[in-house]
Amino acid sequence: MPERTPIIAGNWKMHRDHLEAIQLVQKLAYHLGEEDYEGQEIVVCPPFVALRSIQTLIQSDKLPIGLGAQTCHDEDEGAFTGEISAPMLARLDVRYVLCGHSERRAMFGETNEVVNRKLRAVQRHGMRPILCVGESLEQREGGDAVDVVVDQLRGSLDGISIADASELVVAYEPVWAIGTGRNATPQDAQEMCAAIRTEVGELYGAGTAEGLRVQYGGSVKPGNVRDLMGQPDIDGALVGGASLSSEDFALIVGHRRH
Ligand code: PGA
């Protein structure tokens, strides 16, 4: 079985201006020890306006922290007032771009088709998408959770090549667990992450599925990260609220030694 390098990413959402962002990453770096960077990837996804500042900080302090963005437009350029393109992000050394976060699906009308176009744009410019999928509470209670997630995967990955799929990270984020303080149980999260891997196996073959990194997201905190990440099919965490505290995010990243 190929080794999967765990990936822990902080999704800051619409929090922190560029000065606060610099402080947050500086404090995070202060709390992290060298061993925290070993054998896992650490990523921060600040708002667009802080990307340049964080890029400079990462470079000048030689921090082994990857830069991520929270979304992008699917066209490379054009008359799309207010939008940010994938090549603009690539120029800022952005390595990962969240695609199809549930807030974007719910509030900004992102369908699987839109998410699919964004994935392509991200990959066209040499970055890696973190494809977010997840069911609502109603869908879970109706017993449809796996079907919903499989549907999101199929729709979002339509026409994506094996080569591109092997670069992908998938984040399983049940909508009812996001920002609610109510995380999925490690068993439920494991079950869905295994189902995601199985589906990617159906689409792209066992090799791609075994190499796929699947994150869990939704109220990940210092107190629950270890049990979640201890599951065989969970290879990382996508952290919202707790990534805004340098102490908490450092505890999450450092869960192996706490
Ligand atoms: P949360 O958010 O950790 O605050 O629940 C997770 C996310 O939306 O990525």
Side-chain angles (χ1 to χ4, degrees):
M1 219 173 89
E3 275 290 301
R4 297 192 292 266
T5 305
I7 173 167
I8 301 183
N11 170 17
W12 297 4
K13 310 190 180 184
M14 199 172 71
H15 298 286
R16 304 294 182 264
D17 64 33
H18 76 288
L19 296 174
E20 295 164 335
I22 292 172
Q23 274 194 353
L24 182 50
V25 173
Q26 280 173 333
K27 284 191 193 162
L28 175 66
Y30 170 80
H31 290 301
L32 293 178
E34 248 175 58
E35 63 274 31
D36 292 326
Y37 297 108
E38 274 163 28
Q40 64 178 2
E41 264 188 273
I42 304 167
V43 176
V44 292
C45 306
F48 287 136
V49 293
L51 286 173
R52 175 65 176 149
S53 309
I54 302 301
Q55 176 204 25
T56 307
L57 174 63
I58 286 173
Q59 267 174 8
S60 62
D61 289 6
K62 298 192 172 43
L63 300 175
I65 294 177
L67 195 52
Q70 299 174 17
T71 185
C72 69
H73 197 271
D74 57 281
E75 297 276 349
D76 287 357
E77 62 177 344
F80 301 105
T81 301
E83 292 294 305
I84 302 289
S85 72
M88 292 173 185
L89 298 177
R91 287 284 279 163
L92 289 166
D93 297 331
V94 166
R95 215 179 282 165
Y96 291 94
V97 182
L98 303 183
C99 292
H101 188 281
S102 63
E103 286 153 16
R104 300 218 50 97
R105 290 179 190 261
M107 292 185 257
F108 302 96
E110 288 192 11
T111 59
N112 290 332
E113 202 191 338
V114 173
V115 176
N116 180 263
R117 287 204 301 269
K118 293 190 177 200
L119 282 181
R120 290 165 189 268
V122 168
Q123 299 197 303
R124 214 167 41 238
H125 293 282
M127 299 176 291
R128 295 177 171 210
I130 298 180
L131 169 61
C132 304
V133 294
E135 82 286 357
S136 67
L137 186 59
E138 210 185 1
Q139 290 162 335
R140 173 153 288 261
E141 286 176 345
D144 300 328
V146 173
D147 286 351
V148 167
V149 167
V150 163
D151 204 59
Q152 286 174 339
L153 274 178
R154 285 202 192 135
S156 308
L157 293 175
D158 188 32
I160 301 288
S161 70
I162 293 194
D164 282 345
S166 65
E167 298 287 304
L168 188 73
V169 175
V170 175
Y172 167 54
E173 297 204 304
V175 176
W176 48 271
I178 295 179
T180 58
R182 182 181 161 197
N183 61 287
T185 63
Q187 293 70 30
D188 284 349
Q190 158 61 24
E191 206 174 288
M192 187 64 87
C193 291
I196 289 170
R197 196 177 306 287
T198 302
E199 181 59 26
V200 167
E202 299 273 315
L203 294 171
Y204 295 104
T208 306
E210 276 170 25
L212 177 77
R213 293 184 294 174
V214 185
Q215 297 175 307
Y216 167 79
S219 297
V220 174
K221 306 282 181 232
N224 60 25
V225 65
R226 203 200 308 224
D227 283 350
L228 288 160
M229 298 260 312
Q231 302 300 317
D233 285 293
I234 301 182
D235 312 303
L238 182 55
V239 186
S243 70
L244 296 172
S245 152
S246 57
E247 288 89 351
D248 282 356
F249 195 56
L251 285 170
I252 289 170
V253 168
H255 70 278
R256 296 172 301 184
R257 64 186 171 91
H258 294 294

